[in-house]
Amino acid sequence: MQASGLRHWIQQHVSWPLALALCFSLLLHVFAFSEMDWRHWFADEASAPPVLQARLLPPPKPPAVAALPKPAQAAPAKPRSVQPKPASPVAQAPAAEAAGVSAEEQASPALDEQPVSGEENEQARLAEINAWHEMDQPEAVPDDARLPPYQHVKTDFVVFVNGEERPAGSAEIEYVRDTPETYRLRWLVEGRGLLKLLYPSLEQQSTGEVGPSGLKPHLYRYAFGSRASKTYEATFDWETNVITLKTAKGEQQRDLRVNTQDILSFMYQFMFVPPLQEMHVTLTNGRRVGEYEYSFEGEDSLVIADHAIQTVHIVHTRGDTDEKVELWLASDYRYVPVKIKKLEKNGMVIEQVATRLIAE
């Protein structure tokens, strides 16, 4: 059949309104009853992933379990507050579980318990006192149980000037207790390289006796090189309470106060009297005698020969000068000095840090 004939047949036998109605009805049935997702008709659009939803619910309550009676236990050693005779464990456990009470709360007395007679109260109190006496009590440490001072201490130091990283010299302090009643101290500081040629060695010595209150110096000597103008001495006369200061300019005498120390003995007096026990001290450097106050700066940790040492940091100053001396005292080594830092009047800072410590 030719195309024109087919078109002529359709025009004569097919009603266009009826055809449109049939197509519209077909589309409605597809949308209403088809289980197909219309979004899949578009090939370019991917379906969205499904979304998971969750909701937290409280856990189910555990089933009630009947409590077994606890075996009888010995009375605890730790004292407790006085309370009346408790009910039996079998009767207490179910009640506590029903109320949601912990085991610790079961042991504590109830606030609304009925009062008991005075006789029962007294018996309970005596039982607790006896239990307390059966406990291990810490023993008090008497003051004389403190470790005794060392008989010999030798410390090597490296010296730095004005905060420079390169060492400028070395130092050594040695404390020797020759007899139970006497001591001697020597402090030697020497420069390195060119400094050793430009600056002579500095030597300080202190000798004296050891008494109930610690070190009691008899002679102190300061010598910077071999020059007489840089040599000072202090002689302590404890019988007359007079201290004699000797320099190249002559001698002078001053009143000798109780517990006066020289610069060197002061640093090792802490083996006998711990720091912070006495914050005021009378010191001499061989030229003069002055009153010094020292203060607590804190606690620091220093590394000496690959070992960490805890120290007490103190500072002592004199009110009428700019001089300041800082000390780091080893807490675990009878407060022996392991770091010394001094600020001179001219602004120079000299710092000595221990590199080796021998104590016996």
Side-chain angles (χ1 to χ4, degrees), residues 96-225:
E97 290 181 0
V101 182
S102 64
E104 293 182 357
E105 292 172 338
Q106 296 178 32
S108 61
L111 295 179
D112 56 351
E113 289 178 338
Q114 297 297 326
V116 296
S117 64
E119 182 179 354
E120 293 180 353
N121 231 344
E122 182 66 18
Q123 292 178 357
R125 187 181 67 85
L126 293 176
E128 291 179 357
I129 293 176
N130 293 332
W132 184 86
H133 283 292
E134 292 176 0
M135 295 174 59
D136 294 332
Q137 301 295 329
E139 297 181 359
V141 179
D143 294 338
D144 54 2
R146 188 171 56 240
L147 294 175
Y150 292 119
Q151 302 295 312
H152 176 227
V153 181
K154 184 178 180 181
T155 312
D156 295 334
F157 297 85
V158 62
V159 182
F160 301 93
V161 177
N162 294 332
E164 295 183 358
E165 296 183 359
R166 185 176 180 180
S170 60
E172 176 187 289
I173 303 180
E174 186 173 16
Y175 166 86
V176 180
R177 193 165 175 177
D178 294 316
T179 68
E181 295 81 19
T182 61
Y183 81 92
R184 56 184 170 91
L185 272 162
R186 181 174 180 263
W187 185 3
L188 179 63
V189 182
E190 295 181 311
R192 290 182 180 178
L194 294 177
L195 286 176
K196 189 173 183 178
L197 299 177
L198 298 176
Y199 296 95
S201 61
L202 170 62
E203 183 180 19
Q204 300 179 64
Q205 297 182 48
S206 175
T207 58
E209 63 180 282
V210 180
S213 59
L215 301 182
K216 200 172 184 180
H218 287 182
L219 177 65
Y220 168 76
R221 188 174 188 272
Y222 175 101
F224 186 62

Side-chain angles (χ1 to χ4, degrees), residues 169-350:
S170 60
E172 176 187 289
I173 303 180
E174 186 173 16
Y175 166 86
V176 180
R177 193 165 175 177
D178 294 316
T179 68
E181 295 81 19
T182 61
Y183 81 92
R184 56 184 170 91
L185 272 162
R186 181 174 180 263
W187 185 3
L188 179 63
V189 182
E190 295 181 311
R192 290 182 180 178
L194 294 177
L195 286 176
K196 189 173 183 178
L197 299 177
L198 298 176
Y199 296 95
S201 61
L202 170 62
E203 183 180 19
Q204 300 179 64
Q205 297 182 48
S206 175
T207 58
E209 63 180 282
V210 180
S213 59
L215 301 182
K216 200 172 184 180
H218 287 182
L219 177 65
Y220 168 76
R221 188 174 188 272
Y222 175 101
F224 186 62
S226 57
R227 291 182 294 177
S229 61
K230 294 296 182 179
T231 301
Y232 321 120
E233 286 186 0
T235 304
F236 301 75
D237 190 341
W238 296 102
E239 293 183 359
T240 60
N241 293 327
V242 174
I243 181 172
T244 302
L245 307 176
K246 181 180 179 181
T247 66
K249 299 179 180 180
E251 296 183 1
Q252 53 179 335
Q253 293 183 338
R254 296 287 186 268
D255 293 334
L256 181 57
R257 298 187 178 182
V258 178
N259 297 328
T260 299
Q261 300 288 334
D262 58 59
I263 294 296
L264 189 50
S265 66
F266 163 74
M267 295 190 298
Y268 284 78
Q269 172 69 359
F270 294 112
M271 289 195 298
F272 303 86
V273 180
L276 311 184
Q277 184 169 326
E278 296 180 5
M279 309 295 290
H280 181 84
V281 62
T282 304
L283 291 178
T284 180
N285 60 359
R287 289 184 299 170
R288 60 177 180 266
V289 180
E291 303 296 322
Y292 290 81
E293 297 283 346
Y294 69 85
S295 59
F296 173 70
E297 293 294 314
E299 294 181 342
D300 300 327
S301 179
L302 301 180
V303 178
I304 299 177
D306 298 330
H307 292 281
I309 296 181
Q310 297 300 319
T311 65
V312 175
H313 181 195
I314 65 172
V315 177
H316 74 85
T317 58
R318 186 182 177 189
D320 56 350
T321 67
D322 295 331
E323 295 180 1
K324 181 173 68 173
V325 177
E326 299 181 61
L327 299 176
W328 284 260
L329 310 173
S331 304
D332 297 330
Y333 294 88
R334 318 288 204 279
Y335 299 107
V336 169
V338 291
K339 183 178 178 181
I340 306 167
K341 186 176 182 180
K342 183 178 181 182
L343 173 63
E344 302 285 357
K345 290 188 297 184
N346 58 6
M348 179 181 293
V349 178
I350 302 175

